[in-house]
Every structure is written in C-alpha cells, then in structure tokens.
C-alpha cells in the first residue's frame, strides 16, 4: 500500500492507496498506462472534515489524463454510497481538495485495469421473482480477485424486500476497505446505501420499496468463500393519510399530529422532537406542539417582502434490522406577508418530499414532465437528470371552478428541503431570474415553465423547488395572473384571489456520487465479525503456543540424550 503525501503519477496495473491529508490540501493523482483496458476506481473509505460541504472539500474524478478531462463524478462528505467509478479509456485523474479546518482526513482508494468484455460467471444480474437466491462467483469456493458484481432485485409493486445472508465470509477489516458487499435501497449504486459489510457475518437488510441492489467488490488478495443469500418480498402497507394541522398566529405556531398516522409509520409520540428537543408535545387524542415563534429552535428568514418561520419535527428510526428508514421529518412553515399568513406543512422521508399541504381554500401540486407537451409526468423521486438537461415543471390547481387562473409568481431552489440555507431564484415576481427559464402563458388551472438543470447541482447533492402560486378569477379584469413580470413595488395585493405555495424535489444528477461517511459505522454484523476474528486469533495463538511447547520438549530430550551418549561426567577435585 502506498502512502503518497499529496498526489502522484501511477502506472501500475493495480494499486491501493492510503491517503492522509491535512487542511488546505490540493492534490492530484493521475493514473495512466498504455494498455487497451479501462480503469475501475473504488473509494472504499473516506473521512472528510466534519460538516464540510461539496464546495469546500471533495474528491473530483476526471475521465482522462488531467483535470481538464470530462468530470466523471464527485465524492463529498454527504456521499451516500461506496463510490465506484470506471474510465472510458486507459487514463483517469482524481483531485482532492480540503478546507482550512484543522482535521486529519483519511481516504482508502484502490484501482485496477480490466477488460470489460471479460465476464465472470454468476456475477450479478436481474432478479424479478417474489423470492430468490444469489451467491458470489465460485461459491462455496474462493471468489475471484478484482471482482465487481451488481445484482438488481425487483419484486411486485407495493412490496418491500428482505435480504438475508445465510453464509457470508469475506476478507475482514474494520472499515471493509478491501473486500465488501454493499446493499442499496433502489436500482442504483449512486445513492441509498443501506449498509456495507465484510468478514464473517449473517447480516439482514430491508428495503423501503420493491427494489434493492447488491454489490460485491473484491481486491487482489485474501479471497474467501463469499456468500449465499436469500431474498423474500412482503406487502408494503401504505401509511395512513397524513392527518396534520398547522395553525400560525402573529406570535405562535401550533402543530397537531394524529396518533394513527404516527402508528402507520411505525412511530409514537416518544419518537418526536422539534429543533429544540427540550420542547415536548402535549399528548391527548392527538400529539400537539404549541410554542412561540421565537422559541423551540424555530428559524426566521427575512426575505424583505416576507418573513418565514420554520420548525422541523424529526422522527427517529428504531430497530435492529439494517434498513433504509432514516429520520422522517415534518416541516412546518409560517410565512407572513402583507399582513396575511400562509401555513405550509409537508413531510420528507429520506430527504424526499412526500406531500405538501398549504392550508387554505385551494389545493395545488407541482410535478416534472418529460417534455413540453406536459402529457407524461415524471413519477420517479428523486428525479435524476443530466447537467443542463431541460426540465419541464407544471403547477396544477385541483378545483372544479373553471373560472380560476394559475400564475407562477416566484420559484426558488435550495439544497435543503426546508429552504433554510442558500437559495437561488429561478422566478421572482413573475420575472425570470435564471437565463434558462422560459415561462409559458397561463392556461386555466395550469402554470408551466421550463429551465435547465443548473450548476447548483455540481456543488450540492440535491435541489428542491418551492414556488409561490397566485390564483385569480379570470372574470376579473387586469388581475395579477395576466400581468406577467412586474417589479415588487408595483404589485397590487388585491389583484389576485388567493396565494398558496407548493414544493417538489429532490432533483439529483445521474452521475452524482453522494455518500455519508459510513466508515465509522459498526453494525451488529461488524461486532460479530470482530468477535469471530478475536476467536480465530485466540485459536491460532493457542495452536502456535502448543507447537512451540512440543518443539521445546523435543529439543530438551534430544539435548539430554546427546549429553548421555557423547560425554561423561568428571569429578572436580577439591583443593
């Protein structure tokens, strides 16, 4: 294993690198060899500075001999995967930058050249039945070196997958840097890592939906028998309809949650906490949080024309089975504008927005569509796109009143679902603020616009959109919905019937390789692996001691025998 200080030119067919960097590092590693093969690069362990962002610390991988080559992917502190990248030729470059925080960063990366046309038997594939089995190549014999296998499991809709390894033996180390199995919640290896295991174990994984991906990756040494696993599918019970209520006043916020909805998610009132955990709810037939706007960790955002107060109720996951169920968040917002109040409450699960409720007389929703015909909505969430891809968004008003007209007044983007951090204007007061935005003329109950997937996505893993929507009566002349782009100073508050809000997201790059630092996470399987390793070491040591004692005894006997046959004792005469 090489330990380069900062960058290197690498020409070996395969190599493992243990990299340690301090603050303000700016290092480039270039891999190149004149062979007709491609390169597989695996970051099996990475530890950035705490709370660092993709803007300040990252690993950028380029498909070619320099940092001017096309960007292949990026690894950051919040990367939710074990990044595996593959070049299109015989050269690859990766660039690591760190911020000014005094902290020791650690990375383990290995690469190897290989020929994509050479296939390994029983290595990956598609599994679509309600249940099935999968085994590593050559099982129960030793698996091959430089193996990378991907199994995609997909069962019936409205079901979830339980994966259990009956036999599992891979090379063991604390961080699973060398040989490992990674399990993902979904059909991609770019995000949604449920867990990564190695060594001796019997791990069990559970998906949140009907799709799961299993990866086996091995290096060039210490091969063992691999694994045998079985998966089953069970019906996925739909949660109860969210029964939530948000009430905002000029100085307080009141959130009411039904117990039945919490139960359907597998939680109860003891699992809930606000931004400030010391603020506890009152529990009756419902769970009620009631608090002043200036307390309980409520954040305030003043945008000049409006002030938004936001608090978040987090639901903590429990249980021993390794699942993808991260903390569910219920985000409540009180938006004060022009002596009026807009109350918005929505739920995110694994940072994916589930639903939005803008309290008021009208209901609106926002969706992405695959083309400017707006005939086929994009059903996947997250929505994976290419950089600069044209995205088509439509806001829909759900009303039987044919005289109502929808107008998209303001749309902002943010890397966070609570829109509490950095935001970027796409549309403001009906004016396009991004040069790729094109707004379509109002069409009855629909507001439409398109824009390009912007470079905001190169710095952040996800992007969410939040739009302020105006609803007007088409029978009323000169309403705000027909005026288009005007300055805020000229706006007439009475020129629309109602104002509401809708949120959609996240949007993510297809090539984005986000991942949280799972390297410090020891699962129950890891504990069992450590115990097995300790037992193995104890037995090995005992055997060595036993053999050593036997050798010593034999040596003593031989020495004594030689003295008897080869020498005689002579009495020392006294003086």
């Amino acid at each position: 294993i090489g330990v380069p200080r900062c960058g290197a030119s690498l020409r070996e067919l395969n190599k493992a690198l243990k990299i340690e960097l301090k603050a303000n590092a700016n290092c480039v590693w270039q891999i190149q060899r004149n062979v007709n093969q491609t390169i597989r690069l695996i970051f099996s362990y990475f530890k950035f500075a705490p709370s660092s962002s993709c803007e300040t610390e990252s690993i950028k991988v380029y498909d070619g001999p320099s940092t001017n080559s096309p960007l292949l992917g990026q690894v950051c502190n919040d990367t939710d995967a074990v990044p595996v990248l593959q070049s299109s030729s015989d050269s690859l470059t990766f660039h690591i930058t760190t911020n000014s925080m005094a902290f020791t960063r650690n990375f383990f990366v290995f690469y190897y050249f290989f020929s994509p046309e050479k296939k390994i038997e029983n290595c990956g594939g598609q599994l679509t039945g309600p249940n099935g089995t999968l085994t590593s190549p050559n099982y129960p014999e030793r698996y091959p070196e430089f193996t990378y296998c991907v199994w995609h499991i997909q069962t019936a809709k409205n079901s979830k997958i339980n994966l259990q390894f009956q036999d599992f033996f891979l090379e063991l180390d604390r961080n699973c840097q060398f040989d490992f199995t990674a399990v993902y919640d979904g059909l991609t290896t770019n995000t949604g890592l449920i867990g990564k295991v190695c060594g001796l174990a019997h791990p069990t994984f559970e998906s949140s939906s009907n799709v799961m991906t299993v990866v086996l990756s091995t290096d060039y040494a210490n091969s063992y028998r691999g694994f045998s696993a079985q998966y089953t599918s069970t019906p996925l019970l739909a949660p109860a309809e969210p029964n939530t209520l948000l009430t905002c006043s000029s100085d307080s916020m009141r959130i009411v949650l039904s117990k039945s909805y919490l139960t359907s998610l597998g939680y109860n009132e003891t699992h809930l906490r606000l931004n400030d955990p010391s603020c506890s709810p009152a529990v009756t037939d419902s769970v009620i949080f009631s608090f002043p706007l200036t307390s309980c960790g409520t954040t305030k955002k003043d945008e000049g024309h409006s002030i938004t107060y936001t608090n978040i109720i987090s639901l903590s996951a429990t249980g021993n089975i390794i699942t993808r169920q991260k903390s569910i968040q219920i985000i409540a917002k009180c938006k004060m504008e022009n002596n009026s109040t807009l109350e918005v409450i929505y739920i995110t699960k694994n940072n994916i927005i589930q639903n939005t409720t803008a309290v008021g007389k009208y209901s609106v929703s926002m969706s992405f569509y695959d083309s400017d015909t707006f005939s086929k909505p994009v059903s996947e969430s997250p929505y994976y796109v290419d950089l600069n891809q044209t995205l088509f968004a439509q806001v829909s008003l759900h009303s039987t009143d044919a005289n109502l007209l929808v107008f998209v007044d303001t749309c902002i983007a943010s890397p966070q679902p609570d829109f509490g951090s950095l935001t970027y204007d796409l549309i403001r007061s009906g004016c396009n603020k991004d040069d790729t935005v094109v707004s379509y003329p109002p069409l009855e109950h629909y507001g439409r616009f398109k824009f390009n997937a912007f470079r905001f996505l190169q710095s952040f893993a996800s992007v969410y959109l939040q739009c302020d929507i105006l609803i007007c009566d088409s029978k009323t002349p000169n309403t705000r919905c027909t005026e288009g782009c005007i300055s805020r100073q000229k706006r007439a508050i009475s020129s629309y019937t109602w104002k509401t809000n809708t949120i959609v997201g996240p949007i993510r790059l297809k090539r984005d390789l986000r991942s949280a630092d799972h390297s410090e996470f020891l699962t129950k399987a890891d504990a069992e692996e450590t115990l097995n390793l300790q037992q193995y070491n104890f037995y090995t040591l005992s055997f060595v001691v036993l053999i050593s004692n036997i050798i010593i005894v034999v040596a003593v006997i031989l020495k004594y025998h030689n003295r008897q046959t080869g020498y005689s004792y002579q009495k020392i005469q006294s003086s």
Side-chain angles (χ1 to χ4, degrees):
I1 297 177
V3 189
R5 289 183 177 273
C6 183
S9 180
L10 307 170
R11 299 190 180 278
E12 294 89 342
L13 276 173
N14 61 80
K15 193 174 184 64
L17 303 172
K18 183 179 180 182
I19 301 171
E20 182 178 294
L21 297 175
K22 303 293 185 180
N24 300 315
N26 188 356
C27 310
V28 176
W29 284 262
Q30 189 250 352
I31 307 168
Q32 188 168 18
R33 187 181 177 94
N34 292 325
V35 293
N36 188 24
Q37 291 182 312
T38 57
I39 306 167
R40 181 170 288 135
L41 180 69
I42 302 174
F43 294 91
S44 56
Y45 176 85
F46 51 92
K47 187 171 186 178
F48 293 93
S51 304
S52 64
S53 67
C54 291
E55 284 187 313
T56 60
E57 288 201 349
S58 68
I59 305 171
K60 291 185 177 179
V61 182
Y62 298 90
D63 190 15
S66 73
T67 55
N68 293 323
S69 303
L71 182 66
L72 192 61
Q74 181 173 253
V75 185
C76 308
N77 193 37
D78 65 346
T79 299
D80 194 17
V82 183
V84 179
L85 300 102
Q86 184 173 316
S87 69
S88 61
S89 64
D90 58 3
S91 62
L92 199 66
T93 303
F94 65 94
H95 180 200
I96 304 181
T97 55
T98 64
N99 61 25
S100 59
M101 181 181 292
F103 183 82
T104 301
R105 290 85 168 161
N106 288 285
F107 310 93
F108 189 90
V109 54
F110 67 92
Y111 75 87
Y112 53 88
F113 286 83
F114 73 103
S115 300
E117 64 273 8
K118 292 184 178 180
K119 304 298 183 181
I120 298 176
E121 189 175 352
N122 193 36
C123 179
Q126 304 284 339
L127 301 170
T128 56
N131 51 71
T133 60
L134 58 152
T135 59
S136 56
N138 298 340
Y139 179 84
E141 303 299 324
R142 295 176 182 270
Y143 47 77
E145 62 180 15
F146 300 126
T147 296
Y148 185 72
C149 307
V150 180
W151 290 267
H152 295 293
I153 305 172
Q154 186 165 8
T155 58
K157 290 184 178 180
N158 299 320
S159 66
K160 62 181 179 179
I161 300 167
N162 185 280
L163 177 68
Q164 184 169 6
F165 289 85
Q166 288 88 7
D167 187 22
F168 189 96
F169 190 10
L170 271 62
E171 182 179 2
L172 171 64
D173 73 284
R174 176 181 172 84
N175 295 314
C176 297
Q177 299 173 134
F178 309 119
D179 300 345
F180 61 84
T181 291
V183 180
Y184 294 88
D185 192 32
L187 287 178
T188 176
T189 60
N190 292 344
T191 186
L193 181 67
I194 303 176
K196 180 179 70 168
V197 290
C198 58
L200 282 163
H202 292 90
T204 298
F205 300 92
E206 186 178 278
S207 69
S208 64
S209 66
N210 66 320
V211 288
M212 177 184 279
T213 299
V214 182
V215 171
L216 171 65
S217 176
T218 71
D219 64 2
Y220 52 84
N222 300 326
S223 177
Y224 298 94
R225 66 175 176 267
F227 64 76
S228 173
Q230 180 178 8
Y231 76 88
T232 57
S233 59
T234 56
L236 186 64
L237 300 177
E241 283 298 315
N243 189 356
T244 59
L245 175 65
L246 171 64
T247 304
C248 301
S249 68
S250 60
D251 59 358
S252 66
M253 182 184 297
R254 187 172 186 266
I255 307 169
V256 181
L257 307 174
S258 69
K259 286 185 175 180
S260 61
Y261 177 58
L262 296 176
T263 300
S264 71
L265 296 174
Y267 299 101
N268 58 48
E269 62 272 12
T270 64
H271 298 129
L272 308 182
R273 63 177 179 84
L274 285 170
N275 283 345
D276 182 352
S278 64
C279 294
S280 56
V283 181
T284 56
D285 294 337
S286 301
V287 181
I288 304 170
F289 288 95
S290 184
F291 50 91
L293 290 177
T294 56
S295 67
C296 294
T298 303
T299 60
K300 176 183 176 181
K301 188 173 184 180
D302 190 342
E303 297 179 298
H305 60 285
S306 66
I307 298 175
T308 302
Y309 297 90
T310 304
N311 210 315
I312 300 173
I313 301 175
S314 298
L315 290 77
S316 301
T318 58
N320 294 324
I321 295 179
I322 306 170
T323 75
R324 182 58 185 163
Q325 185 182 15
K326 289 187 176 180
S327 296
I328 293 175
Q329 292 186 325
I330 300 173
I331 300 175
K333 292 174 174 286
C334 297
K335 188 170 185 177
M336 316 294 188
E337 181 179 4
N338 297 324
N339 297 320
S340 64
T341 301
L342 178 64
E343 300 154 329
V344 178
I345 187 166
Y346 55 96
I347 297 165
T348 67
K349 187 174 183 181
N350 300 338
N351 286 328
I352 299 172
I353 294 173
Q354 303 295 303
N355 52 65
T356 306
T357 302
V359 180
K361 61 187 294 186
Y362 298 112
S363 172
V364 298
S365 63
M366 182 162 56
S367 300
F368 291 108
Y369 284 76
D370 64 351
S371 70
D372 58 3
T373 63
F374 294 95
S375 58
K376 185 179 179 182
V378 175
S379 58
E380 66 182 78
S381 184
Y383 181 22
Y384 287 97
V385 301
D386 293 313
L387 193 63
N388 291 323
Q389 176 180 331
T390 301
L391 309 184
F392 302 91
Q394 175 176 283
V395 175
S396 303
L397 170 64
H398 307 286
S399 173
T400 57
D401 189 343
N403 295 320
L404 296 179
L405 198 61
V406 171
F407 179 68
V408 180
D409 180 73
T410 296
C411 273
I412 62 172
S414 174
Q416 298 295 333
D418 62 356
F419 294 82
S421 58
L422 176 69
T423 59
Y424 175 80
D425 284 357
L426 287 174
I427 302 172
R428 174 69 65 181
S429 301
C431 303
N432 298 336
K433 296 298 183 181
D434 181 273
D435 57 10
T436 68
V437 173
V438 175
S439 297
Y440 294 85
L443 177 65
E444 298 177 345
H445 289 179
Y446 305 106
R448 296 167 172 174
F449 63 97
K450 66 179 180 179
F451 63 98
N452 289 355
F454 37 88
R455 296 190 177 275
F456 208 54
L457 278 168
Q458 285 193 318
S459 300
F460 298 97
S462 301
V463 170
Y464 302 82
L465 296 187
Q466 176 178 265
C467 294
D468 290 337
I469 309 302
L470 304 183
I471 300 171
C472 307
D473 189 341
S474 60
K475 291 184 176 180
T476 303
N478 301 321
T479 64
R480 177 69 188 90
C481 295
T482 58
E483 289 177 338
C485 172
I486 59 172
S487 64
R488 187 170 63 89
Q489 290 79 5
K490 297 180 180 179
R491 295 178 64 182
I493 299 173
S494 59
S495 64
Y496 57 85
T497 303
W498 190 260
K499 184 174 184 177
T500 187
N501 182 282
T502 186
I503 297 169
V504 69
I507 309 167
R508 295 174 181 167
L509 281 183
K510 290 180 181 178
R511 68 187 181 197
D512 191 22
L513 293 172
R514 307 158 18 261
S515 184
D517 182 13
H518 291 270
S519 54
E520 290 297 317
F521 175 64
L522 273 180
T523 63
K524 183 179 179 182
D526 296 320
E528 183 180 349
E529 293 160 13
T530 304
L531 177 61
N532 288 331
L533 182 61
Q534 291 171 346
Q535 291 174 344
Y536 173 78
N537 290 338
F538 174 76
Y539 295 143
T540 303
L541 180 61
S542 300
F543 179 74
V544 171
V545 170
L546 177 61
I547 295 299
S548 300
N549 288 336
I550 292 172
I551 293 172
I552 292 170
V553 170
V554 171
V556 170
I557 293 173
L558 290 175
K559 184 175 182 181
Y560 176 75
H561 178 72
N562 289 336
R563 284 190 174 185
Q564 281 190 324
T565 57
Y567 298 92
S568 61
Y569 288 98
Q570 180 179 4
K571 184 178 179 181
I572 299 177
Q573 296 188 8
S574 65
S575 59

